[in-house]
Amino acid sequence: MGFRTGFVLASLLYITSSYDYPLLFHGQVSEAAVNKAISFYLSMYNAPLSVSVLIHTVFSIGMVGIVAKLVRWSENDKYFGTLSLLLYFGSVLMYVAVSIPNMRVLARPDEPSIVHRAVFDAESYRKVENYSFQPLSFQETASVVQVIGATNVIITAMLAGVLLMQLGEWYSIRLDRIAENKQRQESIAKLGAHRHDDKKVN
């Protein structure tokens, strides 16, 4: 995951955090906070195709970047690269499996097939087989946006883990290079000392 990819993803998650945190960490959820979050996520879901393409392209570039590093398969990639790929793939999976279905249900809360795919705290009557379908209640809608917010927090943590793995790999490579340079300098110094001793003998 390159700097530009990380910057774009961090910017997106920072924007969403202003809508997510009031729903997750401010105690009682207010109707105003829920409505603000709904409006924001609906604007993202109904955004022009170019916006969706941009977001998905950024995710794809990050994945390709990590996979490309793994192709070289150095000693560091066994640990840092593999963990980075797992964390990044997990964040993409969370986005595809949770965020997208939940944003879709905000846009189409009257469609049973859409509602059934979403992840939220459903009313008790929905947990009965062959129940009479009803649109989402306010509590269920609030749960939908809370799940989106919680997913964003998890994705943020995963991407932070990717960043830490990348920094760890960079630091490990730097230490290896320092050790190699030190060993090379010592070898050169020993070789110079041997030559100096040979000249004295001659």
Side-chain angles (χ1 to χ4, degrees):
M1 184 173 67
F3 173 76
R4 293 182 181 86
T5 303
F7 178 77
V8 173
L9 291 177
S11 300
L12 288 172
L13 291 169
Y14 176 77
I15 294 170
T16 61
S17 67
S18 62
Y19 299 93
D20 297 334
Y21 285 17
L23 299 174
L24 299 174
F25 306 114
H26 289 184
Q28 188 68 28
V29 178
S30 66
E31 185 174 353
V34 172
N35 290 333
K36 281 179 63 177
I38 291 172
S39 298
F40 172 72
Y41 287 115
L42 283 177
S43 67
M44 284 188 63
Y45 183 79
N46 296 319
L49 181 61
S50 57
V51 176
S52 299
V53 170
L54 172 64
I55 294 173
H56 297 154
T57 300
V58 169
F59 268 113
S60 301
I61 290 173
M63 181 73 75
V64 170
I66 295 175
V67 172
K69 290 183 66 176
L70 285 178
V71 170
R72 295 176 298 180
W73 196 249
S74 64
E75 187 67 25
N76 289 312
D77 288 324
K78 291 181 181 179
Y79 308 102
F80 298 105
T82 303
L83 285 174
S84 295
L85 182 62
L86 289 175
L87 288 170
Y88 197 85
F89 182 74
S91 66
V92 173
L93 191 62
M94 292 287 291
Y95 172 72
V96 172
V98 180
S99 296
I100 291 178
N102 276 29
M103 284 191 283
R104 188 177 291 129
V105 80
L106 292 176
R108 290 181 277 178
D110 298 329
E111 296 186 23
S113 60
I114 300 296
V115 172
H116 294 157
R117 292 194 189 100
V119 180
F120 61 96
D121 186 14
E123 300 281 1
S124 57
Y125 72 88
R126 293 190 193 274
K127 301 174 184 178
V128 179
E129 191 175 356
N130 297 324
Y131 71 94
S132 177
F133 178 79
Q134 296 180 26
L136 294 178
S137 64
F138 173 77
Q139 287 77 12
E140 290 176 323
T141 304
S143 177
V144 168
V145 290
Q146 283 179 315
V147 169
I148 295 175
T151 302
N152 290 337
V153 172
I154 295 172
I155 290 174
T156 302
M158 287 182 169
L159 293 179
V162 173
L163 180 60
L164 287 175
M165 290 299 104
Q166 297 296 303
L167 288 174
E169 182 178 10
W170 171 82
Y171 187 68
S172 177
I173 292 172
R174 183 172 180 272
L175 290 179
D176 289 342
R177 288 177 178 172
I178 291 173
E180 289 175 2
N181 288 334
K182 184 178 180 181
Q183 187 176 8
R184 188 181 300 112
Q185 293 296 329
E186 290 176 352
S187 299
I188 293 172
K190 288 180 181 178
L191 182 61
H194 285 310
R195 288 179 177 176
H196 183 69
D197 292 340
D198 290 341
K199 287 181 179 179
K200 282 186 177 181
V201 171
N202 294 332

